[in-house]
Amino acid sequence: MEADYVIVGAGSAGCTIAYRLAEAGRSVLVLEHGGTDAGPFIQMPGALSYPMNMARYDWGYRTEPEPHLGGRRLACPRGKVIGGSSSINGMVYVRGHARDFDHWRAEGAEGWGFADVLPYFRRLESWHDGGHGGDAAWRGADGPLHVSRGKRDNPLVRAFVEAGVQAGYERTDDYNGEKQEGFGAFEMTVWRGRRWSAANAYLRPALRRENCDLLRGFVTRVVIEEGRATGVEMIARGRRQVVRARREVILAASSINSPKLLMLSGIGPGAHLAEHGVEVVADRPGVGANLQDHLELYVQMAASQPVSLYKYWNLFGKGWVGLRWLLGKQGPGASNQFESCGFVRSCAGVDYPDIQFHFLPIAVRYDGRAVAEGHGFQAHVGPMRSESRGSVTLRSADPQDDPVIRFNYMSAESDWEDFRRGIRFTREIFAQAAFAPFVRHEIQPGPQVQSDDELDDFIRAHAESAFHPCGTARMGRRDDPGAVVDAECRVIGVEALRVADSSIFPRITNGNLNAPSIMVGEKAADHILGRAPLAPANDRPWISPRWQTAQR
């Protein structure tokens, strides 16, 4: 029950680190509370609404009542399964914008600017453009993570991009390449019709090595002796035991569970820990602070033609989709159906996109409930860089208790302004000629919802998390009292302990967080191994020449 490195969490970053450390000949133990990811509910991309709504695969966290959203408690799913959240997410692949990482560097994360992280994105990718164009010079060709594009054969999917261009926005052939801004094909972590999670990409190859093993159990704290992490305490098969780390302990347990474990181990805001009777090992007020997320809304339209995926939304249709997938990994089940997207700027003076669109050729919720209208389509829209900040804190010193999660959504006035703009932009896109053959009427918010106050009421009642929590163990300079880890992911104030997952993001990135979380695992692995980072890249991102004077 010991190894050179003990990794807590078999999620996006944890699987990645395990692979790289095992590849380098180090002995590795990966600890995971969740069970197997086998079976069609996880492996079939088209079944994505199932695993994130199943207690078997999800920690089942919920926020405290959100004061700016009418006291609603929102779901905060995190993967409790091999592969972590990469096994229950929507499989959307977005690196983030170059400026996101330059902001990280400016916040004290030295060595994490875009020039520094781009080589790691290339290292992790096996990119397949599917014949839809792209930017091969910016992409990776032989990494463990397969990134592909859907067939895009639904006319609604193509209409969304054309409508965006008709509305005056840019077209982009590869938003993960030089030019994020604009409308184009979405990318997904799907390979040959199967979800390509971090478990499939990284953990399974790592476990084929003799020096890497996976242990099932519930980790309760990091064992710290004389200021040094020496292992972790875990409960497995009803027994409490200690797993020893000869070199380091690495927390990769998510932006919810990593700060919880730090605090249970005595690392966090001193007064808060003392309040719960936890002995303070390192007083780090940033642990659990700086919590961020993306909120989004669905703008839904009823379709005038039976061209949406609603034709499969019945027992026979779902059976047919499932059978095609089981027999040949083909058909609608082989795609996450997020095949077109858009990244735009909210107003003149914003230098890079801060609003994202996901398009879906059906009107449906994340929980899998289709709207009563029948055939339809929708765009998920929301701001990318909210100024609202929340926290993760302890409910008690009992590791079995869920943490207290408060996002403090919509606490900044700019969030309301950006959301209103996003809804109005989406309506404008759906009003373009490309959608004229398909639009019957607006389902939600509904044509009667027009004024700022009416839109605000709709936002308050219907905004949902995009499930991108991050930032709760912020990376920064060692003399920054709000930082939790330094630029090599080492916990400040404790030896031989690192955090490497979305917790360490100084600020949330543009788009979905799986890709940057895997990148963190790739780069952290080099720091853990004491290797020189990959050589910086010189590629320059496209920035609109009109950004100072025009919104599009």
Side-chain angles (χ1 to χ4, degrees):
M1 296 293 288
E2 72 172 33
D4 293 340
Y5 296 94
V6 172
I7 301 170
V8 181
S12 298
C15 292
T16 305
I17 295 168
Y19 175 93
R20 294 301 180 191
L21 297 185
E23 179 185 56
R26 308 296 196 270
S27 69
V28 181
L29 281 174
V30 182
L31 313 183
E32 172 58 47
H33 184 42
T36 178
D37 61 340
F41 283 132
I42 283 181
Q43 298 301 328
M44 183 168 77
L48 63 91
S49 66
Y50 289 98
M52 72 172 61
N53 291 289
M54 296 174 69
R56 176 178 177 180
Y57 302 128
D58 173 29
W59 284 88
Y61 292 141
R62 298 185 69 81
T63 71
E64 297 302 295
E66 288 288 341
H68 305 284
L69 294 178
R72 288 191 292 136
R73 299 186 69 197
L74 275 61
C76 182
R78 293 292 87 198
K80 187 182 66 176
V81 60
I82 303 305
S85 294
S86 77
S87 289
I88 70 169
N89 69 1
M91 291 155 282
V92 173
Y93 184 83
V94 184
R95 286 173 166 181
H97 195 279
R99 292 281 171 92
D100 292 328
F101 303 103
D102 289 344
H103 180 271
W104 285 16
R105 181 180 58 204
E107 289 287 293
E110 287 294 331
W112 291 80
F114 181 64
D116 306 300
V117 303
L118 178 57
Y120 287 96
F121 279 118
R122 286 180 170 135
R123 185 168 88 176
L124 69 87
E125 288 178 355
S126 275
W127 177 66
H128 312 273
D129 71 358
H132 296 296
D135 207 345
W138 284 67
R139 309 306 296 272
D142 56 4
L145 189 75
H146 289 288
V147 179
S148 65
R149 298 182 179 188
K151 291 184 176 180
R152 310 190 74 242
D153 50 9
N154 188 295
L156 295 169
V157 169
R158 299 191 297 273
F160 186 70
V161 175
E162 293 308 314
V165 174
Q166 289 170 359
Y169 293 106
E170 297 286 330
R171 187 191 302 271
T172 176
D173 290 331
D174 186 357
Y175 65 88
N176 282 313
E178 178 186 19
K179 182 181 181 181
Q180 186 190 70
E181 185 169 336
F183 285 71
F186 236 157
E187 298 190 334
M188 54 187 172
T189 50
V190 172
W191 177 233
R192 294 177 175 167
R194 182 181 174 202
R195 177 192 289 269
W196 205 247
S197 65
N200 288 331
Y202 287 96
L203 187 60
R204 285 191 170 81
L207 293 174
R208 287 196 284 269
R209 298 178 180 271
E210 292 184 357
N211 56 332
C212 183
D213 283 304
L214 176 69
L215 295 179
R216 292 281 309 282
F218 180 74
V219 175
T220 58
R221 67 182 179 96
V222 180
V223 177
I224 300 171
E225 299 171 347
E226 298 180 356
R228 180 182 179 87
T230 59
V232 301
E233 183 181 85
M234 67 182 287
I235 300 171
R237 299 186 182 91
R239 291 178 52 243
R240 193 174 297 268
Q241 51 198 294
V242 172
V243 180
R244 293 282 175 183
R246 290 187 289 265
R247 293 195 179 189
E248 290 187 12
V249 173
I250 301 148
L251 297 184
S254 83
S255 58
I256 307 300
N257 286 327
S258 287
K260 175 188 171 184
L261 281 170
L262 287 173
M263 288 184 279
L264 289 172
S265 309
I267 305 161
H272 176 63
L273 301 187
E275 176 187 335
H276 291 290
V278 177
E279 182 181 348
V280 179
V281 173
D283 185 357
R284 302 304 305 177
V287 174
N290 194 45
L291 176 62
Q292 300 160 64
D293 192 14
H294 290 141
L295 274 184
E296 63 182 10
L297 283 164
Y298 310 154
V299 177
Q300 296 179 323
M301 307 295 289
S304 58
Q305 297 186 44
V307 294
S308 79
L309 298 175
Y310 186 75
K311 59 188 171 185
Y312 305 119
W313 225 255
N314 55 70
L315 192 61
F316 177 80
K318 289 181 180 180
W320 183 83
V321 168
L323 185 63
R324 282 198 69 189
W325 185 83
L326 286 169
L327 293 178
K329 303 297 183 286
Q330 297 293 317
S335 170
N336 64 357
Q337 300 303 331
F338 290 113
E339 296 185 350
S340 286
C341 66
F343 293 88
V344 306
R345 292 174 293 109
S346 59
C347 58
V350 175
D351 59 345
Y352 71 102
D354 58 344
I355 289 177
Q356 180 185 13
F357 301 97
H358 299 63
F359 180 76
L360 195 60
I362 186 172
V364 69
R365 291 168 51 89
Y366 260 135
D367 60 12
R369 285 184 288 167
V371 301
E373 297 271 353
H375 281 282
F377 49 92
Q378 67 192 36
H380 303 200
V381 61
M384 290 292 95
R385 294 191 292 283
S386 167
E387 295 180 11
S388 300
R389 296 291 183 271
S391 64
V392 174
T393 54
L394 294 178
R395 195 172 301 276
S396 77
D398 183 351
Q400 301 284 355
D401 279 351
D402 288 353
V404 176
I405 304 170
R406 289 189 179 93
F407 282 96
N408 205 23
Y409 290 123
M410 305 300 291
S411 56
E413 178 56 34
S414 58
D415 295 345
W416 297 93
E417 294 168 358
D418 289 344
F419 252 121
R420 290 181 215 122
R421 290 188 185 112
I423 293 169
R424 287 170 171 143
F425 294 162
T426 311
R427 284 171 158 169
E428 184 184 10
I429 291 162
F430 285 152
Q432 298 301 312
F435 273 113
F438 307 114
V439 168
R440 190 162 88 235
H441 62 260
E442 183 178 305
I443 300 171
Q444 77 169 35
Q448 75 283 0
V449 179
Q450 296 293 337
S451 70
D452 284 1
D453 287 345
E454 290 166 341
L455 289 173
D456 288 351
D457 287 343
F458 178 78
I459 294 163
R460 194 174 293 109
H462 294 281
E464 297 187 23
S465 172
F467 311 140
H468 301 160
C470 64
T472 48
R474 178 170 66 81
M475 178 167 46
R477 293 179 297 275
R478 294 186 73 88
D479 61 357
D480 179 349
V484 177
V485 301
D486 66 11
E488 294 191 11
C489 305
R490 297 173 296 199
V491 173
I492 301 167
V494 179
E495 296 295 315
L497 177 62
R498 300 193 203 227
V499 178
D501 56 25
S502 64
S503 302
I504 73 169
F505 293 11
R507 188 174 72 179
I508 197 165
T509 55
N510 260 20
N512 312 63
L513 300 193
N514 189 45
S517 297
I518 292 174
M519 179 277 292
V520 163
E522 286 276 7
K523 193 169 187 300
D526 276 0
H527 293 309
I528 294 162
L529 291 166
R531 292 175 172 169
L534 298 179
N538 295 318
D539 308 77
R540 305 292 297 176
W542 184 91
I543 300 291
S544 171
R546 302 183 302 279
W547 72 265
Q548 291 174 302
T549 57
Q551 184 261 332
R552 65 189 86 173

